[in-house]
Structures are given as structure tokens and as C-alpha cells.
Amino acid sequence: MNDYEKMVRIMASEPRFHRRILSKAILERAERARDAWVGSMLPSDRPDVVYALLIGPGAPRAEYAKYRERRSQELQLRCVAAKAARPEFRYVVGIGLDARGVEGSAEDFVLIDTIDWTNEILAGAARVRQDAMQIEEFLQHLVDIGN
């Protein structure tokens, strides 16, 4: 079974009620993402799965390929950071989307199976997470200064 099939099976294994909860959370974030990037870690009903969500504000057609590349890379980093934040989970399912109502409509999906991750890899994931948190704090500081 390839990663795509495994990811689809993982997502399909969520109970119907929990899929509705996840869908509602994704749609609420997709509304907010029109103005800025929105990233979240969403729980699964399964004890071995966590979802990493990244929704971007979209981009004009001429800049869309570059935007998609950035979103894809950021989603992969967020998946690694999610594993560092919640090391007890085996699977991290990453979902990258555009905000609701913006031009463009593409999705990115990532599945990370961490069954073979060593302590060294986990330590690297923790560094990725820490770097991302420091970048977020710095960007928020710039926003605070500008207001």
C-alpha cells in the first residue's frame, strides 16, 4: 500500500461524527484565512493520528505556483513540528488548502509515518518546531511594533 492509499484509509477510518467535527474546524479556519495564513493542529479520534492543517490566503494566478510551493514546504515543516509537539502519535496527516472564496483551488496532502523515527530524528523535529516558534514570535513582534 502506498502513502496516498494509507492516508485515505486513515482519514476514512475516522468515525462519521468526528469527520463532521474536523470538517467544521477546517471550514471555520478557511474563512479566517482570507487575510492571513492559518495553521492548526487538529485531533483525531484515533490514538495514533494527528492532523496538521495549513490554509493560505491564495495568490494571484501569476504568483500561484510560487505560493503553492511555499505552502507545500511550510506544510511539511508543520507536520514535522506536529510530531515534535505530540511525539506519541505515529501518523501525521498534513492538509494544505486555500482560503474559502479566493482565486485558485488546490490542495496539498502529506502523510508522515514516524514508526521508524529514531531519537536523533525526533531531536531534529524538536529543533524545527522551536525554530518555527521563534519565527512566529518574531513576526508577531513586527506586527505589534507596526500597530
Side-chain angles (χ1 to χ4, degrees), residues 55-96:
I55 304 177
R61 186 175 302 258
E63 300 169 20
Y64 197 74
K66 187 174 181 178
Y67 158 82
R68 278 285 309 279
E69 184 178 335
R70 175 185 175 204
R71 188 182 70 197
S72 177
Q73 291 171 349
E74 178 74 20
L75 179 61
Q76 291 179 33
L77 289 173
R78 286 178 180 267
C79 287
V80 170
K83 173 61 178 182
R86 303 297 300 269
E88 68 273 18
F89 293 110
R90 174 179 173 175
Y91 298 105
V92 180
V93 177
I95 303 170

Side-chain angles (χ1 to χ4, degrees), residues 1-129:
M1 178 182 335
N2 65 34
D3 282 350
Y4 178 76
E5 292 169 332
K6 191 183 293 186
M7 181 179 57
V8 169
R9 287 179 186 259
I10 288 170
M11 294 172 76
S13 72
E14 294 286 348
R16 179 177 292 156
F17 180 73
H18 195 72
R19 285 195 309 258
R20 290 174 70 187
I21 291 170
L22 287 170
S23 296
K24 183 177 179 185
I26 291 168
L27 291 174
E28 288 172 352
R29 286 159 176 80
E31 287 290 333
R32 292 195 326 243
R34 289 183 185 150
D35 299 321
W37 291 84
V38 174
S40 297
M41 212 167 39
L42 302 173
S44 171
D45 195 58
R46 292 180 45 158
D48 61 344
V49 176
V50 66
Y51 292 93
L53 177 67
L54 180 62
I55 304 177
R61 186 175 302 258
E63 300 169 20
Y64 197 74
K66 187 174 181 178
Y67 158 82
R68 278 285 309 279
E69 184 178 335
R70 175 185 175 204
R71 188 182 70 197
S72 177
Q73 291 171 349
E74 178 74 20
L75 179 61
Q76 291 179 33
L77 289 173
R78 286 178 180 267
C79 287
V80 170
K83 173 61 178 182
R86 303 297 300 269
E88 68 273 18
F89 293 110
R90 174 179 173 175
Y91 298 105
V92 180
V93 177
I95 303 170
L97 306 168
D98 292 327
R100 287 186 77 176
V102 299
E103 184 179 336
S105 180
E107 303 82 26
D108 294 306
F109 293 94
V110 174
L111 174 66
I112 299 178
D113 181 351
T114 64
I115 191 73
D116 294 325
W117 280 30
T118 63
N119 287 336
E120 184 178 301
I121 294 171
L122 281 171
R127 285 190 300 276
V128 166
R129 180 171 182 254

